[in-house]
Amino acid sequence: MIEYIRGELTDITPTMAVVEAVGVGYALNISLNTYTAIQKKKEVLLYVHEAIVTGGRDDSFTLYGFAAKAERELYRQLITVSGVGANTARMILSSFTPAELCAAITGGDERALKNVKGIGLKTAQRIIVDLKDKVSSSELAQQLPGGVAKPADNVNQEVRNEAVSALTMLGFSPAPSAKVMGEILRQQPDLHVEQVIKLALKQIK
């Protein structure tokens, strides 16, 4: 079992990183959070989750890489939920930072989870029910900088998440975008998505 891979980052896209270690290039599927964390580095260490599918016509062996243990732990928790597959779990982790995801789950914010592509209301509710106690456990909380964050007060999560998603598609990093969106919506909670995006574009560096 592979715990982590350390080596030279030879290629990277928002969804995949290639890390060369001892002459072997490992292709690892990554989230946007991990992409943001490693994109400008030459040497990286990625914590690995191995997904092995056997018994069918198309057996597969896929590696998923995470810049932080906390993100890998959240990924492993997410794929235990019925209706959440590997790609959906990665989509969730590309839409939230680990701390934000923990806050959404522990705060019962099904609307925020439902805004992720591929997540319906029932799946969002199931994620909250299945993982609420697990993500607030001391072990996972200690891995997150500052612990499990509390949901932002007076912030329209639906508008915020839609705006962050739009900026991410434009090439901006999700974590800084989310922070700026939160500040804008705390000051002007009635703004529409397009208004928030326009303001954010003037503030994000």
Side-chain angles (χ1 to χ4, degrees):
M1 183 176 181
I2 301 173
E3 171 64 14
Y4 63 82
I5 294 175
R6 186 201 303 269
E8 180 185 358
L9 182 64
T10 60
D11 193 18
I12 188 170
T13 71
T15 59
M16 180 170 288
V18 178
V19 180
E20 182 176 340
V22 198
V24 178
Y26 296 90
L28 302 101
N29 290 288
I30 59 174
S31 70
L32 284 175
N33 281 310
T34 291
Y35 172 76
T36 300
I38 69 173
Q39 61 176 319
K40 295 181 180 180
K41 296 183 177 180
K42 293 183 178 180
E43 297 287 329
V44 298
L45 184 153
L46 293 179
Y47 296 96
V48 175
H49 173 79
E50 301 172 77
I52 304 172
V53 178
T54 60
R57 180 176 297 178
D58 299 315
D59 293 352
S60 65
F61 176 60
T62 306
L63 299 178
Y64 291 85
F66 305 91
K69 279 188 175 182
E71 188 180 20
R72 181 179 65 177
E73 177 61 22
L74 279 171
Y75 178 86
R76 288 174 170 173
Q77 296 288 359
L78 285 167
I79 60 176
T80 66
V81 178
S82 177
V84 179
N87 287 329
T88 300
R90 182 169 61 159
M91 182 70 72
I92 294 171
L93 288 168
S94 292
S95 302
F96 301 95
T97 65
E100 289 169 344
L101 179 57
C102 285
I105 294 172
T106 57
D109 192 351
E110 60 189 37
R111 186 173 65 175
L113 293 171
K114 190 169 68 70
N115 285 334
V116 178
K117 183 179 179 181
I119 299 293
L121 178 59
K122 289 185 178 179
T123 302
Q125 293 171 335
R126 195 176 298 121
I127 290 171
I128 291 170
V129 170
D130 289 0
L131 302 185
K132 189 171 184 177
D133 291 338
K134 294 179 181 178
V135 300
S136 59
S137 69
S138 58
E139 181 179 353
L140 180 55
Q142 288 172 6
Q143 294 180 42
L144 295 171
V148 176
K150 295 181 179 180
D153 295 330
N154 302 321
V155 172
N156 187 322
Q157 295 292 332
E158 185 174 357
V159 170
R160 173 183 170 280
N161 291 333
E162 189 174 343
V164 171
S165 177
L167 286 180
T168 299
M169 287 188 288
L170 289 173
F172 292 92
S173 299
S177 299
K179 183 178 180 180
V180 170
M181 297 299 180
E183 291 299 324
I184 291 172
L185 287 169
R186 268 188 284 274
Q187 296 175 19
Q188 303 180 69
D190 297 326
L191 291 179
H192 297 295
V193 173
E194 63 275 14
Q195 295 172 314
V196 177
I197 292 173
K198 287 180 181 179
L199 288 173
L201 288 172
K202 297 176 182 179
Q203 298 182 33
I204 298 176
K205 298 179 179 181

